[in-house]
């Protein structure tokens, strides 16, 4: 029992530490988690970590939170999962609570306003860069369907003010149906070639 | 009941965030800025900067920030819980599917439909932010006085640096803020 308590504490402190010092979100923190829990502590296998990452990235929500839930559960069950979630969300929670209080107090200061205004140009540039990178990847694959979905979702939300959630639901359905259609085509082809033999 | 509203809003945001990172931005904008008008687009853009400069996922950061602004510490707590619950729910379901079938191919199929949509949505949020930064909250006008020429120049400079040198975004944002202070001193 005493050993268990230490394990939970160790899970909490490890995830807390990782979360507090990782800037840049899920795609940065997951490799660091692997380093900590697979390479250093050897609490789970490499293969398990790969499966866990695949699930964390396929599931909605923040990748870092998803990965910590799975990791905690694999190592120490539901309680372990809770320790990891707390460890992951407490650092940003504490930091943003403090910033939120100061933001209201500072944002009317004229120097801060100029600084924030300058940041905004930077944010716009960073997002534009992300869009061009991700959009470029999609165009490169030359799937007409993907390009149409991308264009449609921009037009639907920016010009037609359609709710983002409906656009996502519609594209999930299109993606799922395309997948099922492709499977049907490939099994049909498989059957035909079997029949020929 | 503001607490319930905050909880439900962040629950929905995370429920529909596929792909992590920037994918959350259009959803947060949609629910927090457009639907509920809890914070302005300008505040939200500041929040993106803050999120880039501090650790933690942008959704958790936004939940804490907005919850705190709207309803104090308890607001921050319920928003954050709302933000984490979809993860617990979906991760459990997907783990079960994975254990049972050994792969997630139907999920991968659905994700392949969602990926391009997410790019289009991020483009939408980014474009709204760009328009707000360069022209102000009234949107694009052909009135020269509402065009903030320095903001446009800063944007173009940051964009070129991002494309060419691919630095950590934190440096680009910070640099852009500092430059804007300098420009204000001398222009």
């Amino acid at each position: 029992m005493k050993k268990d308590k230490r394990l939970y504490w160790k899970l909490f402190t490890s995830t807390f530490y990782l979360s507090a010092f990782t800037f840049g979100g899920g795609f940065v923190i997951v490799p660091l988690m692997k380093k900590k829990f697979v390479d250093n502590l050897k609490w789970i296998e490499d293969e398990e970590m790969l499966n866990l990452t695949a699930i964390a990235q396929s599931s909605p929500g923040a990748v870092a939170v998803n990965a910590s839930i799975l990791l905690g559960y694999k190592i120490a069950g539901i309680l372990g999962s809770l320790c990891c979630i707390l460890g992951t969300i407490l650092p940003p929670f504490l930091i943003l609570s403090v910033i939120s209080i100061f933001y209201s107090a500072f944002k009317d200061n004229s120097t801060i306003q100029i600084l924030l205004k300058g940041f905004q140009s930077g944010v716009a540039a960073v997002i534009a860069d992300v869009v061009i990178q991700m959009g470029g990847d999609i165009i490169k694959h030359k799937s007409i369907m993907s390009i149409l979905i991308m264009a449609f979702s921009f037009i639907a939300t920016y010009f037609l003010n359609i709710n983002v959630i409906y656009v996502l639901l519609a594209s999930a359905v299109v993606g799922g149906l395309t997948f099922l259609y492709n499977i049907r085509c490939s099994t049909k082809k498989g059957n035909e070639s079997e029949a020929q033999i | 009941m503001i607490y319930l509203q905050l909880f439900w809003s962040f629950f929905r945001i995370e429920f529909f965030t596929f792909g992590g990172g920037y994918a959350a931005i259009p959803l947060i904008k949609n629910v927090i800025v457009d639907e509920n008008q809890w914070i302005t687009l300008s505040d939200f853009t500041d929040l993106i900067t803050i999120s880039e400069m501090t650790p933690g996922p942008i959704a958790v950061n936004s939940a804490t920030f907005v919850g705190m602004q709207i309803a104090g510490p308890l607001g921050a707590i319920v928003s954050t819980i709302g933000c984490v619950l979809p993860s617990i729910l979906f991760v459990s379901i997907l783990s079960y599917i994975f254990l049972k079938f050994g792969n997630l191919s139907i999920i991968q199929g659905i994700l392949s439909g969602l990926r391009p949509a997410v790019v289009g949505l991020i483009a939408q949020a980014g474009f709204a932010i760009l328009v707000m930064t360069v022209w102000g909250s009234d949107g694009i006008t052909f009135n020269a006085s509402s065009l903030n020429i320095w903001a446009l120049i800063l944007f173009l400079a940051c964009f070129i640096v991002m494309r060419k040198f691919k630095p950590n975004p934190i440096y680009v944002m910070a640099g852009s803020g500092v430059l804007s202070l300098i420009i204000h001193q001398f222009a």
Side-chain angles (χ1 to χ4, degrees), chain B residues 171-185:
Chain B
Y171 301 128
V172 174
M173 292 175 188
S176 161
V178 172
L179 270 178
S180 123
L181 279 179
I182 296 172
I183 291 168
H184 190 81
Q185 279 299 317

Side-chain angles (χ1 to χ4, degrees), chain B residues 9-33:
Chain B
S9 296
F10 281 99
F11 185 87
R12 270 191 311 155
I13 288 172
E14 279 308 83
F15 198 95
F16 288 100
T17 297
F18 289 87
Y22 292 91
I25 288 177
L27 279 151
I28 302 172
K29 174 182 165 285
N30 182 54
V31 174
I32 303 305
V33 179

Side-chain angles (χ1 to χ4, degrees), chain A residues 114-134:
Chain A
I114 296 162
L115 189 69
L116 288 174
K117 189 78 196 156
F119 287 156
Q120 291 182 352
S121 296
V123 172
V126 169
I127 297 181
D129 177 61
V130 167
V131 168
I132 287 178
Q133 233 174 59
M134 294 174 84

Side-chain angles (χ1 to χ4, degrees), chain A residues 19-23 25 27 51 54-55 57-66 69-70 85 89 92-93 95-97 99-101 103-104 107 111 114-135 138 146 149-150 153-154 157-158 163-165 167-169 171-172 175-176 179-180, chain B residues 14-19 22 27 30 35 42-43 45-46 48-50 53-57 61 64-65 68-69 76-77 80 84 87-88 90-91 94-95 98 104-111 113-114 116-117 119-124 126-127 129 131-133 148 151 154-155 158-159 162-163 169 173-174 176-177 180-181 184:
Chain A
S19 175
F21 294 101
T22 309
F23 297 80
F27 298 104
N51 292 341
I55 297 172
Q57 285 175 347
S58 309
S59 175
V63 178
V65 176
N66 294 345
I69 294 170
L70 288 163
I85 295 176
I89 60 173
F93 181 84
I95 294 170
L96 263 289
S97 295
I99 288 179
S100 178
I101 294 164
Y103 179 78
S104 321
K107 80 164 178 180
T111 310
I114 296 162
L115 189 69
L116 288 174
K117 189 78 196 156
F119 287 156
Q120 291 182 352
S121 296
V123 172
V126 169
I127 297 181
D129 177 61
V130 167
V131 168
I132 287 178
Q133 233 174 59
M134 294 174 84
I138 282 167
S146 297
I149 292 178
M150 185 165 71
S153 64
F154 179 79
T157 48
Y158 193 81
N163 194 305
V164 169
I165 288 168
V167 173
L168 283 169
L169 280 175
S171 4
F179 175 78
L180 291 176
Chain B
E14 279 308 83
F15 198 95
F16 288 100
T17 297
F18 289 87
Y22 292 91
L27 279 151
N30 182 54
E35 265 180 28
S42 176
D43 289 340
T45 312
D46 295 343
I48 298 176
T49 316
I50 294 167
M53 294 183 182
T54 57
N61 289 344
T64 309
F65 184 89
M68 198 79 171
Q69 295 276 321
I77 292 172
T80 307
V84 175
S87 286
I88 299 178
F90 271 104
V91 154
L94 289 190
S95 300
F98 191 77
L104 298 166
S105 55
I106 175 74
I107 312 288
Q108 300 298 345
I110 293 173
L111 282 176
L114 283 168
V119 179
L121 296 177
I122 298 174
Q124 168 263 139
F127 198 62
I129 288 172
V131 168
M132 185 262 309
T133 307
N148 185 338
L154 267 181
F155 164 77
C158 291
F159 181 69
M162 276 308 290
R163 293 301 304 160
M173 292 175 188
S176 161
S180 123
L181 279 179
H184 190 81

Side-chain angles (χ1 to χ4, degrees), chain A residues 36-55:
Chain A
K36 179 88 195 166
F37 292 101
V38 180
D39 303 342
N40 283 1
L41 297 170
K42 297 192 168 52
W43 280 351
I44 64 166
E45 299 282 324
D46 214 7
E47 167 101 26
E48 276 179 313
M49 188 70 206
L50 278 177
N51 292 341
L52 188 153
T53 312
I55 297 172

